[in-house]
């Protein structure tokens, strides 16, 4: 068990976890880990190397050679900044698919834990409080209705592409929620060790304040 503090924020896609977790980390001067970006980086590698998603042995080899780092807010594999490629929904869905496999999750466990070896940490994902840091000092399950999450994502994407439609976004969100919460290993969900925070009608600032106040209690 690490002597450093951990705040784990889990929840479904587009619940605002990343934005909120990053702000909490900044305010508390903790490090920040977006665990989803690890699964996304792996998905990107699997696609780039044209490895079949059923070829678990080769995927485990990719993990052992992955050389993933986070620098100045960017996600790097070796020296390549892959941040702009891994946000696509195609990668999110592939990350979710890979995340169903127990061996893959097992192989990513220690890497994730290493972020709390030398620093206090705020981290977000699906199982950060349940599996990766079960002894976390504070666990939040952050959620909002699928409709609200789709609307937020739609507004973000519309800034880049005016022709984007909300219906496929909502469909993707529902599909990914289903895949993440119905898997056998480390499913998306929460138990009584978590505080539930439904932010359907809350601002980012309200969520950040709520989490920090809970932590400082
Ligand atoms: O948080 P995100 O949308 O960037 O995560 C992408 C996918 O990665 C998510 O749908 C499931 C998987 N994931 C996971 O299985 N466990 C985590 N701790 C984080 C992400």
């Amino acid at each position: 068990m690490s002597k450093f503090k951990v705040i784990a924020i889990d929840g479904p896609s587009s619940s605002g976890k990343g934005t909120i977790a990053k702000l909490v980390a900044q305010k508390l001067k903790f490090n920040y880990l977006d665990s989803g970006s690890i699964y996304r980086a792996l998905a990107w590698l699997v696609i780039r190397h044209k490895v079949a998603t059923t070829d678990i042995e080769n995927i485990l080899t990719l993990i052992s050679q992955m050389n993933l780092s986070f620098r100045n807010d960017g996600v790097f594999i070796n020296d390549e900044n892959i941040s702009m490629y891994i946000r696509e929904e195609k990668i999110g869905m592939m990350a979710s698919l890979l995340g169903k496999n127990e061996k893959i999750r097992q192989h990513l466990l220690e890497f994730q834990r290493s972020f709390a070896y030398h620093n206090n940490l705020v981290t977000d994902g699906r199982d950060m409080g349940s599996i990766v840091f079960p002894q976390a000092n504070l666990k939040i399950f952050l959620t909002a209705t699928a409709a609200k999450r789709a609307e937020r994502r739609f507004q973000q994407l519309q800034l880049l592409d005016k022709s984007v439609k909300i219906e496929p976004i909502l469909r993707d969100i529902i599909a990914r929620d289903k895949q993440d919460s119905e898997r056998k290993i480390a499913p998306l969900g929460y138990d009584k060790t978590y505080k539930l925070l439904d932010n359907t009608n809350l601002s980012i600032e309200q969520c950040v304040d709520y989490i920090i106040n809970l932590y400082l209690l």
Side-chain angles (χ1 to χ4, degrees):
M1 168 65 185
S2 164
K3 65 184 161 84
F4 291 97
K5 309 281 185 207
V6 175
I7 299 178
I9 304 179
D10 288 317
S13 66
S14 303
S15 56
K17 298 184 306 286
T19 310
I20 290 164
K22 210 183 279 181
L23 284 167
V24 171
Q26 271 169 15
K27 291 208 174 181
L28 292 174
K29 299 197 167 36
F30 282 20
N31 274 7
Y32 167 61
L33 170 66
D34 164 12
S35 66
S37 67
I38 302 174
Y39 286 86
R40 285 172 182 269
L42 178 62
W44 179 83
L45 266 182
V46 165
I47 293 171
R48 170 176 268 200
H49 290 272
K50 300 190 171 62
V51 177
T53 53
T54 47
D55 185 354
I56 303 303
E57 284 316 305
N58 264 320
I59 295 176
L60 299 183
T61 306
L62 280 183
I63 294 176
S64 62
Q65 298 166 350
M66 181 147 85
N67 196 18
L68 177 66
S69 59
F70 300 94
R71 301 179 222 158
N72 309 322
D73 247 12
V75 181
F76 285 75
I77 288 211
N78 298 320
D79 277 326
E80 185 171 359
N81 186 346
I82 60 165
S83 319
M84 56 291 238
Y85 310 127
I86 63 171
R87 289 291 136 207
E88 289 174 22
E89 185 48 31
K90 179 180 81 167
I91 298 278
M93 202 57 196
M94 171 70 98
S96 166
L97 183 67
L98 297 173
K100 285 166 74 170
N101 185 278
E102 186 172 14
K103 284 189 181 158
I104 292 176
R105 302 198 73 82
Q106 203 65 40
H107 273 66
L108 293 173
L109 210 49
E110 217 37 57
F111 180 62
Q112 295 175 84
R113 288 185 176 150
S114 72
F115 286 82
Y117 286 167
H118 308 290
N119 301 283
N120 295 328
L121 184 71
V122 180
T123 181
D124 72 76
R126 302 293 184 288
D127 63 339
M128 304 314 282
S130 54
I131 307 288
V132 185
F133 297 107
Q135 310 296 339
N137 303 75
L138 175 64
K139 303 180 190 180
I140 303 284
F141 192 82
L142 188 68
T143 190
T145 61
K148 186 73 180 189
R149 288 183 280 129
E151 187 189 310
R152 290 179 186 150
R153 185 97 183 109
F154 172 69
Q155 277 162 7
Q156 280 172 354
L157 292 176
Q158 234 196 358
L159 297 175
L160 305 170
D161 174 5
K162 286 270 169 259
S163 69
V164 70
K165 298 266 182 299
I166 195 162
E167 293 77 14
I169 298 176
L170 179 60
R171 264 202 308 276
D172 286 346
I173 281 182
I174 293 171
R176 195 129 67 85
D177 282 1
K178 185 168 158 57
Q179 181 156 276
D180 290 346
S181 46
E182 290 183 354
R183 70 184 178 211
K184 290 201 190 74
I185 319 297
L188 170 67
Y190 62 95
D191 63 13
K192 61 181 184 343
T193 63
Y194 281 80
K195 294 277 184 202
L196 176 65
L197 177 54
D198 183 326
N199 69 10
T200 306
N201 296 308
L202 295 178
S203 68
I204 288 171
E205 293 70 29
Q206 285 173 312
C207 295
V208 171
D209 289 349
Y210 174 84
I211 295 170
I212 290 182
N213 285 335
L214 270 183
Y215 174 73
L216 295 176
L217 264 184

